[in-house]
Amino acid sequence: GPVCNYVLRDLRGETDYCNIKVHARTKADLDGESACIEKVTTLPPSMRELLVKEIQRVQEVEGDFVDTEFYTGFVQREYKPDYLARLKADLAEAYAAEKAALDISEEDQEKAKSRWKTSALGTMGARAFAEAAPEPEEEEDEETLMERAVPDYARKRRQFEHRLKCLEEGIKKAEEEQIKCFADRAALARSMAETQNRIIEVRAEIDRVANVKAPYINSSVIH
């Protein structure tokens, strides 16, 4: 039978696509008159779509470690096998949630989506929390929200702060080494100048002594 729909894949979420031309094509590859869709706005990406894209990105990374901000909102280095296992576990939960949502009524489906958004806070990280969580009734400080949203947030924050401290100490040490290098370079330049002057003086004395026939000679260069 005739195909009355067509799916455009791999489009960006929450993005406007303009001037999409649509036309019918027969089995004989004859095209009908085109119709233009001026503007289409895609829906926001689901949790499952975000996880699939992140898994694809991580699998293309070489080495045992990968840098990511998917869960924390800031760049964190993770052990690749453990990180992939965590992503795939969350992806399985996302698939299960979407499948369950298809088997219930619209009213129950909205409730299931709400429960999924709430449970996802523990695994989706700060970015997913900001997009999916309902507005809190009372204003809470950022630390409380992050502790609720990010698994093992306190330990990761300590690691992050320790890394920052190490970087600051490294920068400070590098600045001290730079100043020391400037001083050593000045001392070396002065020493080279003195050595060069001494070489010139000794060579001149050699030329003078070579013309003296006496067995003894006075010299202020050697002493």
Side-chain angles (χ1 to χ4, degrees), residues 77-97:
R77 178 156 292 185
E78 300 280 356
Y79 183 54
K80 183 178 174 180
D82 292 345
Y83 183 54
L84 270 176
R86 182 179 178 186
L87 288 171
K88 291 178 180 179
D90 290 340
L91 180 60
E93 292 182 10
Y95 271 121

Side-chain angles (χ1 to χ4, degrees), residues 6-217:
Y6 185 80
V7 179
L8 298 176
R9 303 186 182 279
D10 293 327
L11 300 180
R12 291 181 178 274
E14 293 184 299
T15 304
D16 294 335
Y17 289 87
C18 302
N19 299 325
I20 300 175
K21 291 185 177 181
V22 180
H23 58 265
R25 172 170 292 180
T26 66
K27 290 183 178 180
D29 290 337
L30 299 176
D31 295 337
E33 184 178 352
S34 297
C36 183
I37 303 176
E38 294 184 357
K39 180 180 178 181
V40 173
T41 303
T42 56
L43 296 174
S46 65
M47 298 297 181
R48 176 183 58 79
E49 292 169 337
L50 291 174
L51 286 164
V52 169
K53 291 295 184 183
E54 180 68 1
I55 289 173
Q56 291 174 349
R57 185 188 71 85
V58 173
Q59 287 176 336
E60 294 176 356
V61 174
E62 298 180 356
D64 294 333
F65 294 90
V66 59
D67 293 332
T68 178
E69 59 180 11
F70 186 79
Y71 282 104
T72 60
F74 55 85
V75 177
Q76 182 88 12
R77 178 156 292 185
E78 300 280 356
Y79 183 54
K80 183 178 174 180
D82 292 345
Y83 183 54
L84 270 176
R86 182 179 178 186
L87 288 171
K88 291 178 180 179
D90 290 340
L91 180 60
E93 292 182 10
Y95 271 121
E98 288 191 2
K99 183 178 180 181
L102 294 175
D103 298 334
I104 57 179
S105 64
E106 292 185 1
E107 181 179 356
D108 291 338
Q109 183 175 347
E110 292 300 323
K111 293 180 180 179
K113 287 182 179 179
S114 177
R115 288 196 300 271
W116 162 244
K117 290 178 181 180
T118 302
S119 63
L121 297 181
T123 54
M124 291 300 104
R127 180 172 60 186
F129 177 81
E131 295 176 355
E135 294 293 332
E137 297 180 359
E138 297 182 1
E139 184 176 356
E140 297 182 87
D141 62 87
E142 183 178 355
E143 288 296 315
T144 302
L145 295 176
M146 292 297 292
E147 288 177 359
R148 182 190 306 170
V150 181
D152 204 9
Y153 170 74
R155 179 182 62 82
K156 291 181 177 179
R157 181 177 177 84
R158 289 195 300 270
Q159 291 178 342
F160 182 70
E161 291 176 347
H162 175 72
R163 179 60 176 163
L164 285 179
K165 184 178 180 181
C166 291
L167 290 173
E168 290 175 354
E169 292 176 353
I171 292 172
K172 183 178 179 181
K173 184 177 180 180
E175 291 174 347
E176 294 175 351
E177 290 291 335
Q178 184 183 34
I179 295 174
K180 183 176 181 297
C181 287
F182 289 151
D184 291 344
R185 184 175 64 179
L188 181 60
R190 183 172 60 253
S191 176
M192 290 176 63
E194 293 175 352
T195 302
Q196 185 176 11
N197 291 335
R198 179 62 176 170
I199 291 173
I200 294 173
E201 187 178 17
V202 170
R203 283 179 176 175
E205 184 69 0
I206 290 174
D207 293 338
R208 186 183 72 85
V209 172
N211 297 323
V212 176
K213 305 300 181 180
Y216 297 98
I217 187 173

